[in-house]
Amino acid sequence: MTESDARRDYRPSPLRHAEAQPDGDRWALTFVRDFTHSPSALWTALTDPGELPQWAPYTADRDLGTVGPATLTMVDGPDRTELDGTVIRAEEPHVLEHAWGDDVLLWTIEQTDAGTRLTLRHTLDDQRTAAMTAAGWHLCLDVAEALLDGHPIGPIVGADAMNYGWRALNEQYSERLGVEPIDPTLP
């Protein structure tokens, strides 16, 4: 199956565990997902600037596996927005923490009997954006899983996500998280 066939046939996987909790004057979205892949394979997907553009909503100007500054470029179709980033912690292959603009992403990779459990703690400014963010990460991690399975489908990010079930995921995560769904396409 070609990448374009896999992309055309893609449907979002079932909802995953997600919760949003206060974190000082901000909010922390915690998103948990199990993979059948090794911690090192998942680590590479999270840190390698050659793999990130194949699934993530951003690219990186360097390998994120070491502490220090990085530029993370948010991708939305042809639009690119550079955001300052800093890798705060890099403990291969189990903990990656980095800033992405004002947000902080803490990725924890745990070995399980079936592979790995990835926990993403994404610190946000506003609880209302938690469901939107969960829907976006859901799609991105579906794509990452396909990539790790050897069946890449290409990134589903930005406005393109609307064509692949983002709205339904946003509504479902809104219900799960107890927030009103926000449609970013409306004024």
Side-chain angles (χ1 to χ4, degrees):
M1 178 180 292
T2 68
E3 186 173 305
S4 62
D5 289 341
R7 187 177 185 82
R8 184 190 65 239
D9 294 344
Y10 168 77
R11 300 292 177 270
S13 64
L15 285 192
R16 308 302 175 150
H17 173 83
E19 61 184 45
Q21 300 292 326
D23 184 15
D25 60 348
R26 301 184 81 199
W27 284 84
L29 168 68
T30 302
F31 193 81
V32 179
R33 182 162 185 145
D34 291 327
F35 289 81
T36 59
H37 309 89
S38 70
S40 62
L42 206 48
W43 178 264
T44 299
L46 293 174
T47 60
D48 185 319
E51 288 198 22
L52 284 167
Q54 297 180 60
W55 70 270
Y58 52 79
T59 62
D61 68 337
R62 68 171 185 86
D63 189 297
L64 300 179
T66 57
V67 172
T71 299
L72 302 177
T73 303
M74 192 163 66
V75 177
D76 187 356
D79 298 330
R80 305 283 186 267
T81 305
E82 286 189 1
L83 298 170
D84 290 333
T86 302
V87 178
I88 301 161
R89 287 174 57 195
E91 300 168 12
E92 184 177 350
H94 297 292
V95 179
L96 175 66
E97 182 176 15
H98 62 87
W100 179 27
D102 293 334
D103 294 358
V104 176
L105 284 68
L106 173 61
W107 305 88
T108 306
I109 302 169
E110 300 172 79
Q111 181 80 47
T112 65
D113 291 340
T116 56
R117 172 161 293 151
L118 176 67
T119 303
L120 168 58
R121 185 176 188 272
H122 187 150
T123 304
L124 307 161
D125 284 332
D126 190 339
Q127 178 191 19
R128 294 174 303 161
T129 63
M132 291 176 28
T133 304
W137 282 121
H138 184 112
L139 292 172
C140 288
L141 294 174
D142 274 359
V143 172
E145 185 169 36
L147 175 67
L148 292 170
D149 286 345
H151 306 291
I153 62 176
I156 298 176
V157 297
D160 191 36
M162 302 295 175
N163 301 320
Y164 293 94
W166 181 89
R167 276 193 176 86
L169 288 169
N170 181 36
E171 289 173 9
Q172 293 167 4
Y173 280 115
S174 291
E175 184 176 318
R176 180 169 282 183
L177 297 172
V179 297
E180 286 295 316
I182 298 174
D183 185 339
T185 63
L186 298 176

